[in-house]
């Protein structure tokens, strides 16, 4: 995962970053075609019909066709627009669909995340020469650096109490990539995973504060794991053949959304959901292309995500069950990493 330190360490990895943009490795299946019976001369036509139908179905509710206009939405959305040194953080008022740029400094500003009270935004930036975690107010003012002890720090996630951040960090080139927790004043930084192999990245803190979901590349490429906030009871939640990544907890803590690149020969990545113990997995999107970065609405009724199905990454919204997909943005550059608050 060059460009953001997310490197695929095996052929099965679902995600590898180049110039800050992920690409799918391997692919996904649409639910397999049933066996075809009947006269031999009709087989080609029957197969065509079966595969055409399979392209529009799945284990969830996606792929039903996007409405002409997005639904009425409420709240505020932060997201990244652009890539590399052109990556900046933007704020959208969802009711009006109007956006304003919060950062504008010609360096990498990426992966914004709202504080639980919606007053501050954590993100990472290389504005000081290395990738560090920063926090600014909701208007983009007063950015302050939170980290500094490590040379690489990315993907902040807020604790539910709003007093700490979890992120993944690396002490130097070739160092282990682990999950760390730090106070907003930079104090008390602690490594909670202390890995002996593989990587730990992209954390998401559960609403009750007890568990942290994350991505690691120790089994069939990247998979989703969870660990207690104090570093105990680590468990793998997915075993997708071509990988899974980027978990996000639902606001009620009962489900985890994530990206899965895992089945069959079709080269795309879909949004899935599962229980916190990894059970009851359900596919939510099935459209061609790569779907990443799921972010729940504050009430949990909808999910905004990024997809390259149009040829570049744009933001889309769908109902919680995967139905009623609609495109939110139509930019001439990349839109990624949405996060939704009131």
């Amino acid at each position: 995962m060059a460009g953001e330190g997310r490197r695929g360490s095996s052929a099965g990895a679902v995600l590898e970053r180049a110039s800050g943009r992920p690409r799918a490795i391997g692919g996904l299946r649409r639910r397999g075609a049933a066996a075809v019976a009947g006269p031999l001369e009709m087989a080609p036509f029957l197969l065509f019909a079966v595969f055409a139908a399979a392209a529009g179905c799945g284990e969830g509710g996606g792929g039903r066709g996007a409405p002409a206009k997005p639904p009425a939405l409420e709240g505020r959305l932060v997201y990244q627009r652009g890539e590399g040194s052109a990556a900046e953080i933007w704020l959208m008022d969802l009711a009006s669909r109007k956006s304003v740029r919060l950062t504008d400094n010609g360096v990498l500003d990426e992966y914004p995340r709202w504080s639980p009270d919606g007053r501050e935004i954590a993100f990472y930036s290389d504005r000081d020469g290395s990738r560090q975690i920063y926090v600014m107010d909701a208007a983009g003012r007063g950015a302050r650096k939170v980290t500094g002890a490590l040379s690489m720090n990315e993907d902040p996630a807020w604790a539910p109490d709003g007093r700490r951040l979890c992120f993944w960090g690396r002490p130097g080139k070739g160092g282990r990539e682990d999950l760390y927790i730090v106070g907003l004043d930079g104090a008390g930084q602690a490594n909670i995973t202390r890995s002996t192999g593989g990587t730990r990245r992209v954390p998401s803190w559960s609403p009750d504060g007890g568990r942290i979901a994350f991505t690691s590349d120790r089994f069939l490429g990247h998979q989703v794991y969870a660990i207690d906030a104090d570093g105990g009871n680590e468990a793998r939640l997915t075993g997708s053949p071509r990988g899974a990544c980027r978990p996000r907890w639902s606001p009620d803590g009962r489900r985890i959304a994530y990206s899965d690149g895992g089945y069959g020969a079709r080269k795309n990545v879909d949004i899935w959901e599962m229980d916190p113990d990894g059970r009851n997995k359900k596919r939510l999107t099935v459209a061609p292309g790569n779907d990443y970065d799921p972010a729940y609405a504050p009430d949990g009724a909808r999910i905004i995500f990024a997809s390259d199905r149009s040829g570049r990454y744009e933001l889309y919204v769908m109902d919680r069950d995967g139905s009623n997909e609609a495109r939110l943005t139509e930019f001439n550059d990349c839109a990624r990493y949405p996060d939704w608050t009131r």
Side-chain angles (χ1 to χ4, degrees), residues 24 99 114 126 277 317:
S99 290
W114 285 109
D126 63 0
D277 61 3
V317 64

Side-chain angles (χ1 to χ4, degrees), residues 43-82:
F45 300 100
L46 292 172
L47 283 170
F48 175 82
V50 170
F51 280 104
C57 67
E59 295 179 25
R64 297 188 176 100
K69 292 183 179 180
L73 302 173
E74 295 181 353
R76 296 169 292 160
L77 188 77
V78 287
Y79 61 97
Q80 172 196 315
R81 182 172 170 182

